[in-house]
């Protein structure tokens, strides 16, 4: 058996698979980011550790016999989170997350003072990346900087809690703004530009390689067999591709989780920072990927649910009833600012066109449409960088929605493929890396395509409606952009 753990922004997923890759048991524990100030987003790393312990306990309770045959654990996680540890390997402060915008000044300074670094580290500096956050820490929290001995990504903290090494993989390192992407090595120049100590950098390991074994104490504490191998793992974008088996050059997928990514695999480093494309090392050796990253996705529907007093599943069901296409209501989903294509940490959500006849279902539809329209922007950015995409897999919690799938196909022109278990893509990818770390099998053997659940081609009538809606969408952002900065 192989266990995949995915440390997301809003919860931790655990998936147990057998030697053929078939899912055996799964569990999920929810949590939420802390927002101590507007534009800030943090989490206590030990919240993730507690969720990991709970999810493993849930699987043990449901199928303890299968868990007893565990051979390896793989890890996936939200990218760009800054987990600062002291010399005692304890968190110095809450982790600063990917959707935190506090380092916007530092990001602007890095862009103006070190323009050459974007082509090396794979992307233009933006507030959500680890490097600008470390620059912010140096200036705003000098005591915490002095206490810092290591900087990890979120999933690396979970592996460390199980007894693994102080290490990270290439794909999570790629999202720090501190990695030389082409060389797959830390960039001393980027560390120094971010007022960070290169000695904080953990050891780099390919995602499919072992990064230690579970410690006896942790094995007993978590109720796991002793000697289980711990794979290095990867960032959630790369792990989604591995879970879907979309690892060959040109193969692409959309991850519709709390945030949204459009990812296409490449066999070389493809730098295009001027297009706000993220060009990163993959979690598999000798592979890279290009990505358009949006800070808002299925989390926007969850936000609407909190305001409207209904869970996202209820809103989605109401929205899908008698859906005929975009109406007069328009939603900008920039609740946490936006990366691709705007690079605007000040951007915020806007609901435009309310009337006395507006229903809860109308609001839900507008929110879902707004997220789909951001993927049309993402498509154009990747196309300008040289990536040609016609067909995409769909993963993440939003992949459960047939309506959202139709909207995305219409907005982007992509044929959208949903696969069995697609909503657990990163956790499944983590389980696949666990298998490779334990057996040494090549990716082509392990990373096969899951069974297809359905294929959605763009509906021409709906696509025309989304094309018209996109013009309104872009115009609305242009009209209110400066107001966000007041």
């Amino acid at each position: 058996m192989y266990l995949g753990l995915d440390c997301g922004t809003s919860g931790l997923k655990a998936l147990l698979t057998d030697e053929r890759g078939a899912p055996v048991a799964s569990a999920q524990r929810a949590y939420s980011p802390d927002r101590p100030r507007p534009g800030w987003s943090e989490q206590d790393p030990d919240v993730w550790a507690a969720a990991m312990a709970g999810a493993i306990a849930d699987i043990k309770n449901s199928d303890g016999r299968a868990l007893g045959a565990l051979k390896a654990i793989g890890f996936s996680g939200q990218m760009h989170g800054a987990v600062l540890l002291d010399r005692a390997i304890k968190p110095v402060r809450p982790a600063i997350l990917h959707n935190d915008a506090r380092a916007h000044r530092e990001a602007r300074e890095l862009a103006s003072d070190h323009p050459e670094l974007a082509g090396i580290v794979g992307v233009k500096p933006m507030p959500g990346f680890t490097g600008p956050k470390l620059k912010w820490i140096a200036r705003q929290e000098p005591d915490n900087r002095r206490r810092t001995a290591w900087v990890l990504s979120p999933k690396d903290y979970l592996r460390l809690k199980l007894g693994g090494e102080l290490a990270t993989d290439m794909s999570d390192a790629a999202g720090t703004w501190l990695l030389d992407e082409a060389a797959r090595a830390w960039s001393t120049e980027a560390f120094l530009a971010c007022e960070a100590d290169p000695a904080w950098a953990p050891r780099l390991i390919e995602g499919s390689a072992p990064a230690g074994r579970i410690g006896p104490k942790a094995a007993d504490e978590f109720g796991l067999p002793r000697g289980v191998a711990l794979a290095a793992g990867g960032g959630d974008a790369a792990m989604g591709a591995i879970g879907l088996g979309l690892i060959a050059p040109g193969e692409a997928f959309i991850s519709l989780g709390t945030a949204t990514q459009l990812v296409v695999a490449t066999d070389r480093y493809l730098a295009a920072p001027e297009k706000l494309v993220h060009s990163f090392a993959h979690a598999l050796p000798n592979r890279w990927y290009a990505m358009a990253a949006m800070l808002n996705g299925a989390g926007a529907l969850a936000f609407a649910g909190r305001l409207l007093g209904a869970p996202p599943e209820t809103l989605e069901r109401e929205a899908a009833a008698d859906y005929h296409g975009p109406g007069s209501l328009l939603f900008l989903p920039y609740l946490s600012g936006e990366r691709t294509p705007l690079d605007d940490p000040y951007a915020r959500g806007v609901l435009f066109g309310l009337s006395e006849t507006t229903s809860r279902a109308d609001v839900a539809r507008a929110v879902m449409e707004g997220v789909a329209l951001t993927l049309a922007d993402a498509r154009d950015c990747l196309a300008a960088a040289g990536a040609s995409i016609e067909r995409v897999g769909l993963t993440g919690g939003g992949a459960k929605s047939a309506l959202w799938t139709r909207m995305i196909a219409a907005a982007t022109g992509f044929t959208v493929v949903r696969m069995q278990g697609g909503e657990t893509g990163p956790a499944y990818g983590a389980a696949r890396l666990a298998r490779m770390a334990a057996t040494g099998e090549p990716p082509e053997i392990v990373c096969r395509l899951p069974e297809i659940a359905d294929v959605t081609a763009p509906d021409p009538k709906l696509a025309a409606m989304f094309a018209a809606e996109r013009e309104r969408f872009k115009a609305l952002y242009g009209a209110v952009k400066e107001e966000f900065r007041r």
Side-chain angles (χ1 to χ4, degrees):
M1 297 290 166
Y2 304 99
L3 180 64
L5 299 173
D6 177 33
C7 178
T9 312
S10 57
L12 182 135
K13 297 176 183 177
L15 178 67
L16 188 69
T17 66
D18 63 19
E19 70 277 5
R20 300 181 307 276
V24 174
S26 64
Q28 184 169 347
R29 290 294 180 105
Y31 44 71
S32 299
D34 299 320
R35 298 189 179 275
R37 296 186 189 180
W40 290 27
S41 183
E42 302 182 344
Q43 279 176 334
D44 177 354
D46 287 323
V47 168
W48 309 328
M52 175 174 67
I56 290 173
D58 292 343
I59 289 181
K60 186 173 184 180
N61 290 335
S62 66
D63 201 336
R65 183 175 179 180
L67 194 62
L70 186 66
K71 295 300 181 187
I73 302 174
F75 302 84
S76 170
Q78 50 176 302
M79 298 176 67
H80 320 303
V83 183
L84 278 58
L85 303 180
D86 62 20
R87 294 190 181 281
I89 320 298
K90 301 293 184 184
V92 169
R93 66 172 328 283
I96 307 178
L97 303 188
H98 64 94
N99 53 356
D100 186 289
R102 74 185 70 184
H104 55 89
R105 290 186 182 88
E106 289 74 15
R108 286 201 305 271
E109 289 178 11
L110 287 167
S112 62
D113 297 346
H114 303 278
E116 75 288 351
L117 284 176
I120 296 170
V121 301
V123 66
K124 180 181 176 181
M126 290 182 250
F129 297 142
T130 312
K133 294 170 190 170
L134 296 180
K135 196 175 184 73
W136 183 92
I137 291 284
R139 295 177 173 181
Q140 304 298 326
E141 298 180 355
D143 288 343
N144 285 336
R145 186 191 188 282
R146 281 191 289 271
R147 294 174 55 204
T148 299
W150 302 95
V151 176
L152 296 181
S153 295
K155 65 100 171 56
D156 300 320
Y157 185 75
L158 294 185
R159 192 181 59 250
L160 190 63
K161 295 294 284 187
L162 292 178
E165 301 180 28
L166 277 160
T168 194
D169 82 292
M170 300 297 174
S171 67
D172 241 348
T176 62
W177 211 80
L178 299 168
L179 187 77
D180 183 327
E181 305 288 349
R184 301 172 86 92
W186 292 117
S187 169
T188 299
E189 294 80 3
F191 267 91
L192 296 178
C194 295
E195 300 180 36
D197 189 341
W200 297 346
R203 188 164 77 94
L204 287 168
I205 305 175
E206 294 289 353
S208 55
R213 294 187 176 275
I214 191 169
K217 181 179 179 181
D220 295 343
E221 179 184 345
F222 286 89
L224 296 172
R226 293 193 176 193
V228 168
L230 304 175
D236 55 4
M239 302 309 292
I242 291 170
L244 293 174
L246 299 172
I247 60 173
E251 292 182 329
F253 79 99
I254 292 166
S255 174
L256 185 55
T258 303
T260 308
Q261 299 93 30
L262 173 57
V263 181
V264 58
T266 66
D267 57 2
R268 67 190 188 283
Y269 173 51
L270 178 67
E274 71 283 357
K275 302 298 181 183
L276 294 177
V277 169
H278 303 47
S279 302
F280 287 165
H282 213 305
L284 296 171
N286 303 313
R287 288 174 171 83
W288 289 259
Y289 65 92
M291 173 176 70
M294 287 68 71
L295 294 177
N296 307 278
L301 191 60
F303 166 81
R306 293 196 299 273
L307 294 185
L308 298 172
E313 296 80 9
T314 299
L315 291 184
E316 194 277 341
R317 185 169 60 251
E318 293 176 359
D322 199 30
Y323 180 71
H324 297 297
S328 59
L329 203 60
L330 194 62
F331 182 69
L332 300 185
Y334 308 132
L335 299 170
S336 298
E338 190 55 296
R339 285 194 197 156
T340 309
L342 306 180
D343 186 22
D344 187 353
Y346 299 100
R348 292 295 179 264
V350 174
L351 187 61
F352 178 80
L354 290 163
S355 73
E356 291 184 351
T357 62
T358 299
S359 68
R360 189 165 78 175
D362 292 331
V363 174
R365 290 172 186 139
V367 169
M368 297 170 73
E369 289 162 356
V371 173
L373 288 166
T374 66
L375 281 161
D377 289 340
R379 172 203 62 200
D380 290 351
C381 288
L382 285 174
S388 177
I389 303 171
E390 296 182 358
R391 181 182 176 100
V392 296
L394 182 62
T395 186
K400 298 176 184 177
S401 170
L403 174 60
W404 229 334
T405 304
R406 287 179 59 207
M407 289 177 175
I408 290 170
T412 63
F414 298 152
T415 296
V416 181
V417 180
R418 293 194 298 174
M419 301 174 186
Q420 297 291 349
E423 69 276 5
T424 60
Y428 191 46
R432 285 180 157 181
L433 284 193
R435 176 178 162 186
M436 283 183 264
T439 67
E441 293 173 280
E444 291 75 17
I445 296 297
V446 177
C447 300
R448 298 186 182 278
L449 293 173
E451 184 178 347
I452 291 176
D454 54 47
V455 178
T456 302
D459 178 288
K461 181 179 179 181
L462 195 58
M465 296 176 72
F466 266 94
E469 188 76 348
R470 190 180 178 205
E471 295 305 311
R472 296 181 62 225
F473 184 81
K474 293 165 68 176
L476 178 58
Y477 172 74
V480 300
K481 177 180 178 180
E482 294 307 318
E483 296 301 316
F484 292 138
R485 288 163 172 75
R486 292 183 184 274

